[in-house]
Amino acid sequence: MTDPATSYADLSALVINCTLKRSPERSHTQGLIDISTGIMQRQGVRTEVLRAVDIDIATGVWPDMTEHGWETDEWPVVYSQVMAADILILAGPVWLGDNSSVMKRVIERLYACSSILNSEGQYAYYGRVGGCLITGNEDGAKHCAMNVIYSLQHLGYVIPPQADAGWVGPAGPGPSYLDEGSGGPENDFTNRNTTFMTWNLLHLARMLKDAGGIPAHGNQRAEWDAGCRFDFDNPEHR
């Protein structure tokens, strides 16, 4: 089923796969990503998937770590792709009940650019929507999602309802999402949540784009720094 009343063809989505496996090794997380991007592509949305472990992303919390002692850093290129997308999905596996080290690094580098301002004086990520996908063969998907979703909203992303989905196998060692007999690709709970997440991202991205983003009042860092207080009750200035 498609949504005949609304066009999403002018939207774009970026998915960053935070698997620990370098290409061309099979990524179970990519299997779940493919479900979400397939839905978006059928609506005409331009989608791009990056596998972060294949990219030379330096460690640190500055926009370009070559200015802070690193010889190379491809994050500035990734950041330009992030800023070109209306939708950002961070996807990754569960390890020891937590997000992968690659996911942590990507979030740190997103954070490194969070103080950049847009043309309205708001933080740069305003007007974009975010969600996450989690896979694994151990418990921890909701814990991982909480960290990712909190991080995205803190940086300025708008989070729609039910903006996460995931699949984990039974407790203890077992098959991963794409392994034969795992039941992952056929799991109705996961497929439902992934579909709902994807459509909620599309709906909210459509609303934000049509509205011109988040209204630029009461949230402009540039104006605050200039002395504007947006009705903040400050008795010292009466």
Side-chain angles (χ1 to χ4, degrees), residues 50 52 54-58 63-66 71-81 109:
L50 303 179
D54 291 337
I55 303 169
D56 181 15
I57 299 175
D64 186 347
M65 291 306 299
T66 63
E71 291 186 7
T72 60
D73 183 14
E74 294 181 9
W75 176 257
V77 176
V78 177
Y79 175 72
S80 67
Q81 294 170 286
R109 298 308 301 279

Side-chain angles (χ1 to χ4, degrees), residues 105-121:
R105 181 175 297 192
V106 168
I107 291 174
E108 286 171 348
R109 298 308 301 279
L110 287 168
Y111 179 65
C113 300
S114 63
S115 63
I116 297 172
L117 304 181
N118 64 20
S119 61
E120 299 292 333

Side-chain angles (χ1 to χ4, degrees), residues 120-134:
E120 299 292 333
Q122 302 167 308
Y123 292 114
Y125 299 125
Y126 273 42
R128 295 166 176 80
V129 301
C132 74
L133 293 169
I134 304 296

